[in-house]
Amino acid sequence: MSSNPVILITGANTGLGFETVRSLCQSPKAYTIIIGGRSIDKANAAAKKAQTEFPESPSVLKTVQVDIEDDKSITQAFEYVSTEYGRVDVLVNNAGGLFDRQLASGNMTMRELWDKSWSVNTTGTQIFTHTFVPLLLKSSDPRLLFIASGTSTLEGSEDTVLPMNISPPKGWPKEPSSFGFGAYRSSKSGMNMMMREWTRILKEDGVKVWAISPGFLATGLGGNPDMNKKMGAEDPTLGAKFVRDVIEGARDDQVGKVVRRAVSNDPLLAHNRPMIAIRMASKIVDMSNFTSKFRAQKIGSHESTTRVTKRPRLVCNQCQKSKLRCDRGQPCGSCIKKDEAAACTYQRPTGTRTDINHNVMAEDKLLHLESLVKQLMQNQALPLSGNDTISTNTASPHERISGLTETVDGPRGEQLESARYIGSTHWSAILEDIHELKVTLGGRLDVDKYTGTSIYQSPAPSGELIFGSSNDFSLQHILSEYLPPKVEADRLLSTYFQGETYIIPFLHTYHFQRQYRKFWDGPTSVNPLWLSILFSVCYIASLIRGATTNSPHRSDNNLILGHSIFLTAAGKCLVLGEYHRPQQFTVEALALYAHCKNMRSLDPSRETGAILGMVVRMAYEMGYHRDPDYFGSFTVFEGEMRRRFWAACKQMDLMISFQLGLPSNIVIDHCDTRSPRNLLDSDFDEESETLPASRSEEATKLLWFIVKERQIPSFSKVCKNALSFNKMSEAEIMQLDNEIWEMYATIPDVLRTRPISDSIADPPFLIMTRLYIDFIHLKSLCVLHREYMARGNAFSTKSCVDAGEKLVSQFIDMYKEFSIGGQLYAERWMLTNFTMHDFLLGVMVLCLVLHTRWKRDAQSSEIDIATESRILTLLEQSHTICVEKSKESRDTLRVSHAVRLTLNRAKTPNAPRDNASEAPRADTIAASNFPTSVSDTPQLHPEHDSSSPWNGYIHSDESNFGMLDPFNFISNVDNMDWSVFDPPI
């Protein structure tokens, strides 16, 4: 029996069915996908093809022979699935056929056509579904999908813009092509009603049922895929992605309905909507020139009212030439049948010379417009060229920059700081759940009085270089001023590429080195954007080399600032190369520059967030969000490097947005770029004609990056929920929690965290990457459950305690090894603001855990005295680290105060309360007698079974725990009176 959800798809060896299999293989979720096909050989071939294409997919592919027109075949398939898997979680009725063209070609009689259409699309689907329902009912979340058609709606049949809805000329008999797709459309309409019946029948059994209209896709259904493309059909991967979304719950609010994918070209149409609109406009222009005998004529008109206008010919030129009956479609059915759709044209109407001139002129303009639209659609992803920016500011570049700097960093900048929006993924949002700290942090802050440490000082204001102008420097100036001697540059690149540390995935070792050698052959002819990449690499290499050879008396902050010359040069090269235009090296250079900027501080970088926003927007414009197999014309090497870049871009965007408490710029549902393969740079290069198979779970320098890429979808959902005003239901929270743990189970053993004492033989970088991956898992749990723990939920409390303790304890162990002589001393530069933010988040979660316990008596609290003792020990160690890093990080300074208050609260017998002005006295921790809170509050859902992890979900004081106001936390930390809450000890 499979522990993964079992998905059975009929007709899955080709067309939309196979694309759905491919889409599910790209999902981070693990499925058992059963490919159903009339031919078992073709089903096995499809499974092998998908497995080869997605070797790292967590899903398992199986096959079964089934012909939905053969009852015996259906029964045998049922017995096989029942024996092997015991259930079906998702049943996708995809098998179907369009046979209407067989009538026009003479291969079928009308009875054969209609019998066949209903047998496959309706009757066979009904019998197959009826047979497999018992297996569906054994699922905990059964889903039943019918692949419908946008052509099958009654409302759509009234749209006469569609060629298939145009009435043929009067007379009998009609041409076979006049009957269009009647058999197919009616059988699919029958399927829609069949879906409604199954919705009614299985409603009380909890089965979710849909009919899915994926849009007009370029599959082999009923004809030639290439011809369908000419008619406006879209890539079938888009429809498959839509089916997968329904399977994974995106349309659970539309159960029992025909759900239709929103597309730019209406799926009802066998043409592109813009083209039809243009052709309709052409008809309107022609009609405006017609004169009816009932229309009033202008006085003085010399035009005869009895003039007879010759009726325009309504037959296309090809049908006229072949003497065939034309259905007046554009293109008509006869031309489609003969594969001559491109040659289907109509004669212009005749009339007076003036009428003809007007009509020809209008039609020519419309045809020109149509050609422009087609050209735009074909070339929409090509990069723009030229500089279309027009400036109306006559001030000099220096005047504009300096004026901006004064405005942002002066009083106005302080006002913006106090009003800054930060969502609930930021560590400080947890203070909203700790009412004691939130109320206390309202006065004036006198740090030196209690800590004896110096207050964090912001860096001196300086304008961001890349937002300036290149008028003050040239390429020659940059080369002479910033480029180190070749020997020194060689050493820096050697440090970067030959070291054990893997850093940037989208720089190919051998490809970049060839570019580097070519650069030294003629430095003055270099592309400034590529030169920016070189300077950024030098900056990173200087940090690595400095960390391994740096004097212990020199601070890490000085180490970073000491190599800023390379970063300055990289910024100037970006400006000189006009980074704002989509072109070669633009997004790579800008993303690498943002990465370097982010390494300069332990606090989240707003500059990096702004720059990365430009990177994302430009990458979208250049099509990086589309997989190279479906978009553009790229070599194997270029395609894989684009996948690496987009994966890095997604990770940076999500992590930086998470730090800043803001929504990410990238919407994962809008992307179909596949994850890169686990390959060494030596495995492929520019000359590669085919991409080698992935190295599976082999511990390469890229493996941790790929595993991190797998974690992005679930982590993105957690962030989206945390920032959303529409909170998830209990079932949805549990589902996402399960998804997080399922993803954790796919992490290879080599990247699983273990005590540092057990990693003495492991490379330092491997230790760090293990922690990076584990921190994503742990902070996902913390952010997902934090709000519900604050409300008193037992399951969320345990999840937060376990994740918070593990995250903080692992960071403490890691931090100890950063000291001189430690196992990670040479890698201490890898303590980035990403890792520091995760640590602060974990610390604040532990503070919340204690305050949650203190609001309830010890008997009713889910947090026992042993857990509290462990957390206090971790917080004491964390406070020491925060104090040490407070000179380098403003956030760390602020968290150190919150931790100190929490520790003092635990030691103080008479501490203030959240819940009442006359709170009872709290004894010391040793006595374990904590204040009573809302222990008798009724449960949110008392009808839930007691075994449910969500039983005991308590309505606590919403003013203290439930209301998250992202605009109101420690916004004025420098003016707070900590002594109000923290009496001198």
Side-chain angles (χ1 to χ4, degrees):
M1 300 296 177
S2 173
S3 60
N4 300 332
V6 179
I7 302 176
L8 173 57
I9 308 174
T10 62
N13 59 282
T14 187
L16 178 63
F18 181 64
E19 292 298 335
T20 302
V21 172
R22 293 180 67 253
S23 184
L24 290 169
C25 287
Q26 298 175 67
S27 174
K29 297 182 179 180
Y31 299 110
T32 296
I33 306 170
I34 306 176
I35 299 176
R38 287 182 299 171
S39 167
I40 191 63
D41 292 335
K42 291 182 179 180
N44 290 334
K48 183 177 180 180
K49 181 178 179 181
Q51 289 171 338
T52 303
E53 186 176 6
F54 306 105
E56 298 171 5
S57 173
S59 295
V60 177
L61 298 181
K62 299 294 183 179
T63 59
V64 63
Q65 190 279 330
V66 60
D67 182 350
I68 63 174
E69 289 190 280
D70 185 342
D71 291 357
K72 181 179 179 181
S73 174
I74 294 175
T75 301
Q76 290 175 344
F78 172 81
E79 293 173 351
Y80 168 78
V81 175
S82 178
T83 302
E84 292 293 323
Y85 307 103
R87 73 181 193 282
V88 172
D89 297 285
V90 182
L91 181 60
V92 183
N93 282 301
N94 169 74
L98 189 156
F99 310 102
D100 292 78
R101 291 193 175 114
Q102 301 301 314
L103 177 64
S105 64
N107 294 328
M108 279 186 178
T109 65
M110 184 167 290
R111 180 173 295 280
E112 290 172 339
L113 164 63
W114 282 74
D115 284 349
K116 183 73 171 179
S117 297
W118 280 79
S119 175
V120 174
N121 297 329
T122 313
T123 308
T125 300
Q126 166 70 13
I127 295 173
F128 181 82
T129 302
H130 185 273
T131 304
F132 274 83
V133 161
L135 294 183
L136 266 180
L137 297 183
K138 293 183 180 181
S139 171
S140 60
D141 184 22
R143 294 168 179 265
L144 175 59
L145 282 68
F146 297 89
I147 302 302
S149 170
T151 67
S152 62
T153 64
L154 296 178
E155 179 183 1
S157 66
E158 298 177 355
D159 186 357
T160 56
V161 173
L162 306 180
M164 67 180 67
N165 292 331
I166 296 176
S167 299
K170 62 182 295 187
W172 194 265
K174 305 292 187 185
E175 288 289 333
S177 59
S178 301
F179 296 96
F181 306 106
Y184 174 77
R185 297 172 72 180
S186 61
S187 64
K188 285 294 186 179
S189 296
M191 175 186 281
N192 290 347
M193 193 63 221
M194 181 171 62
M195 177 274 296
R196 290 295 302 155
E197 280 296 288
W198 280 116
T199 301
R200 177 184 64 82
I201 294 169
L202 300 176
K203 180 179 180 180
E204 299 304 323
D205 297 285
V207 181
K208 299 182 177 70
V209 185
W210 299 267
I212 310 298
S213 178
F216 182 39
L217 307 174
T219 65
L221 180 66
N224 188 335
D226 294 332
M227 177 58 66
N228 288 338
K229 287 183 179 179
K230 293 178 182 179
M231 301 289 287
E234 294 185 298
D235 194 309
T237 58
L238 301 177
K241 177 63 167 57
F242 182 65
V243 175
R244 190 186 95 185
D245 288 343
V246 176
I247 292 174
E248 296 185 340
R251 296 300 182 102
D252 282 6
D253 59 337
Q254 294 178 283
V255 170
K257 298 180 181 179
V258 178
V259 291
R260 190 168 168 185
R261 183 173 66 89
V263 291
S264 57
N265 59 317
D266 194 320
L268 276 173
L269 309 182
H271 300 76
N272 199 306
R273 273 288 182 188
M275 303 308 156
I276 289 181
I278 291 171
R279 287 168 179 150
M280 286 182 66
S282 177
K283 295 178 182 179
I284 293 172
V285 170
D286 291 340
M287 289 296 297
S288 68
N289 291 285
F290 293 163
T291 303
S292 169
K293 65 179 180 180
F294 299 106
R295 183 171 298 172
Q297 301 252 337
K298 292 183 180 179
I299 299 176
S301 173
H302 300 289
E303 206 170 336
S304 173
T305 59
T306 60
R307 180 173 60 88
V308 177
T309 303
K310 186 177 179 180
R311 181 180 178 183
R313 184 190 302 165
L314 298 178
V315 180
C316 77
N317 295 327
Q318 293 296 104
C319 289
Q320 174 71 12
K321 185 185 302 183
S322 304
K323 296 183 179 181
L324 297 175
R325 191 178 294 273
C326 183
D327 61 12
R328 297 181 293 173
Q330 296 192 9
C332 70
S334 298
C335 289
I336 293 175
K337 178 181 175 181
K338 295 187 296 181
D339 198 16
E340 296 177 350
C344 186
T345 58
Y346 290 81
Q347 184 178 356
R348 294 190 176 106
T350 59
T352 65
R353 181 173 299 275
T354 302
D355 291 338
I356 293 175
N357 289 340
H358 282 300
N359 293 345
V360 169
M361 184 181 300
E363 188 170 349
D364 286 344
K365 289 181 178 179
L366 288 167
L367 290 174
H368 177 64
L369 176 59
E370 180 175 349
S371 67
L372 290 178
V373 173
K374 289 181 177 179
Q375 184 178 3
L376 176 62
M377 293 173 62
Q378 293 169 356
N379 302 324
Q380 58 183 337
L382 294 180
L384 301 176
S385 61
N387 187 351
D388 297 330
T389 303
I390 300 176
S391 176
T392 58
N393 193 337
T394 57
S396 68
H398 281 297
E399 290 171 340
R400 292 197 295 271
I401 295 172
S402 62
L404 180 62
T405 303
E406 292 171 2
T407 301
V408 172
D409 292 320
R412 176 60 177 166
E414 296 173 3
Q415 295 173 15
L416 292 175
E417 168 68 23
S418 65
R420 184 163 65 100
Y421 172 84
I422 302 178
S424 57
T425 62
H426 194 271
W427 62 265
S428 59
I430 300 178
L431 289 171
E432 288 298 302
D433 291 333
I434 307 178
H435 190 60
E436 298 172 11
L437 297 184
K438 183 180 68 174
V439 173
T440 305
L441 306 183
R444 183 178 180 278
L445 173 63
D446 188 359
V447 180
D448 294 330
K449 180 177 180 180
Y450 302 107
T451 65
T453 61
S454 60
I455 299 177
Y456 170 84
Q457 297 293 332
S458 299
S462 60
E464 171 49 60
L465 177 65
I466 67 168
F467 299 140
S469 168
S470 62
N471 293 342
D472 294 336
F473 48 84
S474 63
L475 180 60
Q476 187 61 44
H477 165 77
I478 295 174
L479 292 173
S480 60
E481 185 76 15
Y482 300 104
L483 183 66
K486 186 175 184 301
V487 174
E488 177 64 18
D490 290 346
R491 292 171 181 168
L492 289 171
L493 262 65
S494 176
T495 300
Y496 180 88
F497 285 112
Q498 293 185 7
E500 292 297 324
T501 303
Y502 166 79
I503 303 171
I504 305 300
F506 50 84
L507 292 185
H508 190 273
T509 304
Y510 307 104
H511 179 61
F512 186 84
Q513 289 181 17
R514 288 194 297 271
Q515 294 173 325
Y516 176 72
R517 288 192 293 269
K518 185 178 179 180
F519 160 70
W520 283 108
D521 292 338
T524 57
S525 61
V526 68
N527 185 322
L529 296 175
W530 183 90
L531 186 59
S532 175
I533 295 176
L534 176 62
F535 279 123
S536 294
V537 170
C538 289
Y539 175 77
I540 296 173
S542 65
L543 292 182
I544 300 171
R545 193 168 66 176
T548 56
T549 60
N550 185 41
S551 167
H553 302 292
R554 187 182 182 189
S555 72
D556 294 340
N557 193 45
N558 291 333
L559 170 65
I560 293 175
L561 296 177
H563 302 283
S564 298
I565 182 175
F566 292 129
L567 199 55
T568 300
K572 289 187 174 182
C573 287
L574 286 171
V575 177
L576 192 64
E578 298 182 343
Y579 68 89
H580 55 275
R581 292 194 299 108
Q583 56 183 306
Q584 187 182 21
F585 304 126
T586 297
V587 290
E588 292 82 1
L590 202 55
L592 195 52
Y593 180 78
H595 176 65
C596 294
K597 295 285 287 189
N598 199 55
M599 298 174 69
R600 291 169 57 84
S601 171
L602 289 181
D603 285 329
S605 170
R606 297 185 206 172
E607 285 180 328
T608 302
I611 295 171
L612 198 62
M614 293 189 291
V615 173
V616 171
R617 178 58 59 191
M618 202 173 304
Y620 266 122
E621 191 173 351
M622 299 175 71
Y624 278 82
H625 65 297
R626 298 299 316 278
D627 192 83
D629 286 352
Y630 312 132
F631 172 85
S633 178
F634 302 100
T635 65
V636 168
F637 173 78
E638 292 169 342
E640 187 65 7
M641 296 308 295
R642 285 173 67 94
R643 294 187 186 101
R644 287 188 177 186
F645 174 81
W646 185 247
C649 193
K650 282 194 299 184
Q651 295 177 23
M652 285 186 64
D653 173 60
L654 182 59
M655 296 305 171
I656 290 176
S657 299
F658 175 80
Q659 281 184 311
L660 298 173
L662 298 173
S664 59
N665 296 294
I666 294 176
V667 180
I668 295 180
D669 291 343
H670 297 171
C671 316
D672 65 359
T673 303
R674 296 199 301 267
S675 298
R677 297 189 182 184
N678 183 22
L679 298 173
L680 298 175
D681 285 356
S682 57
D683 292 335
F684 73 110
D685 209 330
E686 286 181 292
E687 294 78 18
S688 300
E689 295 182 358
T690 58
L691 199 62
S694 178
R695 289 176 174 263
S696 186
E697 302 300 306
E698 182 180 339
T700 66
K701 294 180 180 181
L702 195 65
L703 179 61
W704 78 275
F705 175 79
I706 293 175
V707 172
K708 185 179 176 184
E709 167 76 0
R710 294 180 197 163
Q711 295 176 297
I712 291 300
S714 58
F715 183 53
S716 176
K717 292 179 183 178
V718 170
C719 296
K720 182 178 179 181
N721 172 63
L723 296 171
S724 174
F725 298 109
N726 300 317
K727 295 303 178 183
M728 287 184 173
S729 65
E730 300 172 10
E732 290 171 329
I733 292 293
M734 291 303 303
Q735 181 179 351
L736 186 50
D737 179 88
N738 290 334
E739 184 177 327
I740 294 171
W741 281 104
E742 288 173 2
M743 182 54 57
Y744 181 76
T746 67
I747 298 176
D749 183 67
V750 69
L751 291 180
R752 297 264 181 165
T753 54
R754 58 209 69 185
I756 293 183
S757 58
D758 294 342
S759 306
I760 55 177
D762 295 329
F765 184 78
L766 178 59
I767 298 174
M768 290 298 299
T769 52
R770 286 171 178 165
L771 292 172
Y772 285 166
I773 292 173
D774 204 40
F775 281 5
I776 295 177
H777 168 71
L778 295 174
K779 67 186 178 185
S780 296
L781 295 172
C782 287
V783 174
L784 177 64
H785 290 288
R786 183 258 297 173
E787 179 181 352
Y788 303 93
M789 176 189 69
R791 296 179 181 178
N793 175 259
F795 179 78
S796 289
T797 298
K798 185 178 186 307
S799 297
C800 276
V801 169
D802 293 344
E805 279 191 284
K806 186 176 180 182
L807 194 159
V808 173
S809 61
Q810 287 186 160
F811 183 91
I812 292 172
D813 292 341
M814 173 191 71
Y815 187 80
K816 291 177 182 177
E817 297 303 318
F818 284 149
S819 60
I820 300 175
Q823 196 170 344
L824 303 175
Y825 177 70
E827 269 66 34
R828 66 191 185 281
W829 64 273
M830 294 182 70
L831 178 59
T832 64
N833 52 28
F834 291 138
T835 312
M836 183 59 71
H837 182 274
D838 295 344
F839 167 63
L840 299 182
L841 177 69
V843 168
M844 292 307 300
V845 166
L846 294 184
C847 288
L848 177 60
V849 168
L850 294 184
H851 284 267
T852 302
R853 171 176 167 82
W854 295 338
K855 289 189 67 64
R856 301 173 177 85
D857 59 43
Q859 300 301 321
S860 64
S861 175
E862 297 293 332
I863 308 163
D864 56 24
I865 188 65
T867 301
E868 179 179 347
S869 178
R870 293 196 311 271
I871 292 175
L872 286 172
T873 301
L874 290 175
L875 289 181
E876 288 174 354
Q877 298 178 64
S878 300
H879 182 258
T880 301
I881 295 175
C882 289
V883 171
E884 289 181 7
K885 289 296 181 182
S886 60
K887 294 182 180 180
E888 303 174 35
S889 166
R890 180 185 181 89
D891 281 355
T892 306
L893 173 69
R894 299 162 76 185
V895 170
S896 69
H897 302 324
V899 174
R900 176 168 49 80
L901 288 179
T902 302
L903 293 173
N904 290 343
R905 163 70 178 81
K907 298 174 184 177
T908 305
N910 298 306
R913 299 289 200 283
D914 287 359
N915 47 343
S917 58
E918 298 180 359
R921 170 178 175 169
D923 292 333
T924 60
I925 293 178
S928 69
N929 183 19
F930 292 91
T932 303
S933 183
V934 286
S935 59
D936 56 348
T937 304
Q939 297 176 1
L940 178 64
H941 294 295
E943 72 276 12
H944 281 192
D945 185 84
S946 60
S947 62
S948 170
W950 285 92
N951 191 36
Y953 197 111
I954 298 175
H955 272 307
S956 62
D957 185 353
E958 284 291 329
S959 65
N960 297 341
F961 294 97
M963 304 301 291
L964 298 178
D965 180 7
F967 296 92
N968 185 30
F969 47 72
I970 314 189
S971 59
N972 193 21
V973 66
D974 293 330
N975 296 313
M976 296 174 185
D977 187 1
W978 291 80
S979 61
V980 174
F981 182 75
D982 185 19
I985 298 176

